[in-house]
Amino acid sequence: MISKTHSCALSGLDGNIIEIEADLSFGLTGFDIVGLPDAAINESKQRIRTAMNNSGIEFPVKKITVNLAPADLKKEGATYDLAISIALLSANGDFSADATDSYVLIGELALDGRLRGVRGVLPMVITAFNNGFKRVIVPQDNAKEAAIVKGIEVYPASDLASVVRHFTTDDAKDNTSNKLKIFKLSEDDINNVSPNYSVDFSEVKGQWDAKRAIEIAVSGGHNILMIGSPGSGKSMLAKRIPTILPELTFDEALEITKIHSIAGTLKSNMSLFKQRPFRNPHHTISTAGLVGGGTNVRPGELSLAHNGVLFMDELPEFKRETLEVMRQPLEDASVTISRVAGTLTFPCNMLFVASMNPCPCGFYGSHDKICKCTPQAIAKYKGRISGPLLDRIDIHIEVPAIKYDDFEDNAKVETSAEIRARVNAARKKQLDRYKEYGIYSNSQLTPKLLAEFCELDSDCKNIMRMAFSDMNLSARAHDRVLKVARTIADLSESDQIKVEHLAEALQYRNLDKMGM
Ligand SMILES: Nc1ncnc2c1ncn2[C@@H]1O[C@H](COP(=O)(O)OP(=O)(O)OP(=O)(O)O)[C@@H](O)[C@H]1O
Ligand SMILES: [Mg+2]
């Protein structure tokens, strides 16, 4: 007899329903799985057999053939254990063949019959819903992420035996205690996405210039590089950047949660992401760790920072080839991973924040400490960051060590919420201005749009001319300065870029001044 269950395979953020057909026939006993399974799926034969034995469920002693369809789609991981087990038992006549029709089954089996949590449950449940399925059974650990999806019944299960009981129980006999229970999140869990951060900009004393530059960066979506001696507060400032980004919308939160679900970085007690991510990869990270990859593809740090902040501390310490691969994703806001079976795409629309010391010892240009580095060592250190990557960073600022008086001065300290209000206003201005142009921030302005929206009057043109000769500005810096000036004008609610806006934007080109 043949029977059918359903599960789900992921490709990037999207999913496909997988039909699992099981056929039991008389003849030489055996267990074959066909339909492009990977090694982990082939090993599920052992897991399923042992899990059934240890759960008191009789394993069918017949010739078993399992087909995973569509056959041309590569299936990976141990996600199908549950769906294969139920298909087998259904084919064996343990319960009626149509009992499982409206279900998508997700879960890996442990040898004792427990259901282990798997990666990617949220996008799988979304796929199930989009394909018209009414119910999903998921491992207990994944209940919260699955329940984010409205309009589908989520049944968490802790072991195989309870799933089998769920299908064998006859509703008519009213033995409902054997049925799995539907899990629901509270309305607050899903709808309330107001931010709740444990850090705040009000904790950073002084550093007015750096804070101002960061506000501009966040307002216009400009990537930013902070240069300063050790302990000057670069990491402290960077960690607080998510707190001044606009509040998450539900769709943004859902996208972040999907990516983290696939990466396996969702904690089991977590449902929807309520905070913008802050990712801080170490400089020893591999290229695959940064952009994503591996046998069962996981998103990399670039995508884990989607809709949030990617902070690369000590930028020159990263391997050059690691930095090189970031150029395209920073441009396109998405990462494409090539594989034998085709390409996968993950979004990575984030603010890129980097920091570096001015030289290997960290004290070049410091007023208090003497730099011990040779000019060659300094040049080599700066040379580690490639020009094309720097090209994608609109704002460079110096973060000097804080003075004692700044610690005492509480007069101007602002909270993240106050700064965020100004950021929101500036972002709204950009959204309105660009709504017909397919972009939403000044950092995305193309040369054609720059000419339209960043026109300079003659005073501004004179300043730009002087900057080119005095500051050693490159042609590529020209457009960056214009974009930043546009954001500064937006923050001061001016339709026209004025001299003061341009002059401030020119200050954020520290590396050009340093001849890089
Ligand atoms: N402006 C500031 N206000 C309050 N505390 C500060 C400030 N700057 C630095 N600190 C304190 O100094 C510590 C070190 O700062 P942080 O780690 O951000 O420096 P850094 O510039 O990242 O240094 P490194 O180059 O070594 O990474 C912070 O954890 C904080 O306690
Ligand atoms: Mg640091």
Side-chain angles (χ1 to χ4, degrees):
M1 181 181 159
I2 296 180
S3 77
K4 231 173 22 187
T5 58
H6 296 93
S7 195
C8 188
L10 290 179
S11 141
L13 286 190
D14 304 318
N16 289 293
I17 292 294
I18 300 293
E19 219 174 77
I20 291 144
E21 296 169 308
D23 175 71
L24 302 191
S25 57
F26 293 103
L28 223 50
T29 57
F31 190 173
D32 288 314
I33 299 182
V34 295
L36 225 55
D38 75 347
I41 297 180
N42 268 314
E43 287 166 3
S44 68
K45 294 180 222 165
Q46 265 84 28
R47 281 194 301 273
I48 290 171
R49 197 191 300 265
T50 318
M52 283 193 187
N53 285 339
N54 289 334
S55 310
I57 302 165
E58 207 172 314
F59 187 82
V61 191
K62 291 193 182 138
K63 179 173 164 40
I64 303 171
T65 311
V66 169
N67 180 34
L68 309 178
D72 59 352
L73 199 85
K74 180 107 181 118
K75 331 285 182 311
E76 296 168 327
T79 320
Y80 308 103
D81 286 2
L82 179 64
I84 296 175
S85 310
I86 296 300
L88 283 188
L89 296 174
S90 174
N92 198 36
D94 286 20
F95 32 81
S96 73
D98 55 4
T100 61
D101 278 356
S102 61
Y103 287 82
V104 163
L105 307 169
I106 301 165
E108 173 183 341
L109 283 177
L111 294 186
D112 59 2
R114 267 180 309 115
L115 268 184
R116 287 212 161 101
V118 292
R119 299 192 281 125
V121 167
L122 172 62
M124 288 184 199
V125 177
I126 292 174
T127 306
F129 173 72
N130 289 342
N131 282 276
F133 285 88
K134 302 269 181 302
R135 303 170 180 91
V136 283
I137 297 185
V138 299
Q140 196 78 48
D141 279 353
N142 301 117
K144 284 202 160 179
E145 55 173 304
I148 294 171
V149 188
K150 287 181 185 162
I152 189 161
E153 292 174 0
V154 173
Y155 295 90
S158 51
D159 52 27
L160 177 63
S162 61
V163 181
V164 173
R165 271 199 305 276
H166 179 77
F167 287 122
T168 41
T169 302
D170 189 350
D171 281 338
K173 293 193 183 136
D174 196 28
N175 195 0
T176 46
S177 60
N178 276 338
K179 287 270 185 194
L180 295 170
K181 304 273 180 304
I182 298 178
F183 178 79
K184 282 200 178 115
L185 287 172
S186 73
E187 282 298 308
D188 199 45
D189 263 338
I190 300 182
N191 294 334
N192 179 10
V193 280
S194 61
N196 173 23
Y197 294 96
S198 59
V199 292
D200 196 277
F201 258 105
S202 56
E203 293 147 9
V204 184
K205 310 278 186 197
Q207 300 293 15
W208 317 117
D209 295 342
K211 285 192 207 168
R212 165 78 180 163
I214 288 171
E215 180 177 332
I216 294 166
V218 172
S219 299
H222 305 288
N223 298 327
I224 180 169
L225 170 66
M226 296 185 271
I227 309 158
S229 49
S232 61
K234 302 181 294 294
S235 303
M236 191 181 188
L237 285 161
K239 277 189 196 122
R240 285 156 181 78
I241 293 179
T243 67
I244 60 167
L245 280 160
E247 287 85 357
L248 279 176
T249 62
F250 177 79
D251 287 344
E252 284 176 324
L254 193 64
E255 269 188 346
I256 303 173
T257 316
K258 275 204 244 179
I259 294 172
H260 284 259
S261 166
I262 295 172
T265 44
L266 272 189
K267 297 184 186 74
S268 67
N269 59 357
M270 205 165 148
S271 55
L272 205 59
F273 253 74
K274 300 269 170 93
Q275 301 187 346
R276 292 193 179 266
F278 176 81
R279 301 298 297 187
N280 181 7
H282 190 253
H283 60 73
T284 53
I285 191 169
S286 65
T287 308
L290 197 63
V291 297
T295 17
N296 294 335
V297 178
R298 287 172 197 245
E301 288 292 335
L302 285 169
S303 300
L304 292 174
H306 180 57
N307 287 336
V309 172
L310 176 74
F311 178 47
M312 290 176 72
D313 208 357
E314 321 291 354
L315 192 64
E317 303 294 335
F318 283 80
K319 288 195 285 288
R320 202 178 170 112
E321 56 277 19
T322 312
L323 295 181
E324 288 295 308
V325 296
M326 290 183 54
R327 288 160 50 182
Q328 202 58 41
L330 281 181
E331 203 71 28
D332 301 343
S334 67
V335 200
T336 304
I337 304 167
S338 298
R339 322 191 62 211
V340 183
T343 57
L344 287 182
T345 306
F346 288 112
C348 66
N349 187 10
M350 41 67 188
L351 193 75
F352 174 48
V353 180
S355 86
M356 64 185 276
N357 292 336
C359 67
C361 84
F363 296 106
Y364 178 73
S366 162
H367 300 298
D368 322 318
K369 297 210 170 94
I370 297 165
C371 169
K372 300 191 197 81
C373 307
T374 60
Q376 289 86 342
I378 298 175
K380 190 170 164 217
Y381 179 73
K382 289 180 188 158
R384 289 204 207 140
I385 314 170
S386 72
L389 181 67
L390 279 182
D391 236 8
R392 286 156 178 80
I393 303 178
D394 292 351
I395 298 181
H396 323 142
I397 50 158
E398 224 172 302
V399 181
I402 170 174
K403 307 245 169 3
Y404 180 74
D405 285 348
D406 286 335
F407 264 110
E408 296 286 296
D409 180 10
N410 284 321
K412 282 197 281 180
V413 171
E414 282 184 306
T415 61
S416 292
E418 288 170 278
I419 305 173
R420 191 166 61 233
R422 291 195 297 268
V423 168
N424 280 336
R427 288 217 170 193
K428 178 158 187 322
K429 252 177 132 28
Q430 297 166 63
L431 276 177
D432 291 345
R433 187 184 318 128
Y434 303 135
K435 61 176 178 288
E436 283 158 29
Y437 298 89
I439 63 169
Y440 53 85
S441 73
N442 292 327
S443 64
Q444 297 171 304
L445 284 167
T446 58
K448 184 164 166 278
L449 294 178
L450 267 175
E452 188 170 342
F453 293 111
C454 302
E455 216 182 335
L456 296 181
D457 59 19
S458 59
D459 286 348
C460 286
K461 280 186 179 150
N462 283 336
I463 291 188
M464 203 60 139
R465 186 169 301 121
M466 279 194 304
F468 255 71
S469 55
D470 294 357
M471 283 173 63
N472 209 4
L473 271 198
S474 62
R476 70 179 187 220
H478 176 268
D479 288 2
R480 317 249 136 209
V481 170
L482 275 188
K483 291 179 192 180
V484 174
R486 181 65 265 167
T487 304
I488 297 171
D490 285 338
L491 274 167
S492 52
E493 294 176 28
S494 164
D495 288 334
Q496 177 66 35
I497 296 178
K498 296 190 182 143
V499 169
E500 64 262 33
H501 307 141
L502 185 63
E504 186 179 354
L506 282 165
Q507 288 174 24
Y508 302 129
R509 299 299 306 178
N510 273 56
L511 288 182
D512 295 294
K513 279 187 251 167
M514 290 157 77
M516 283 178 73

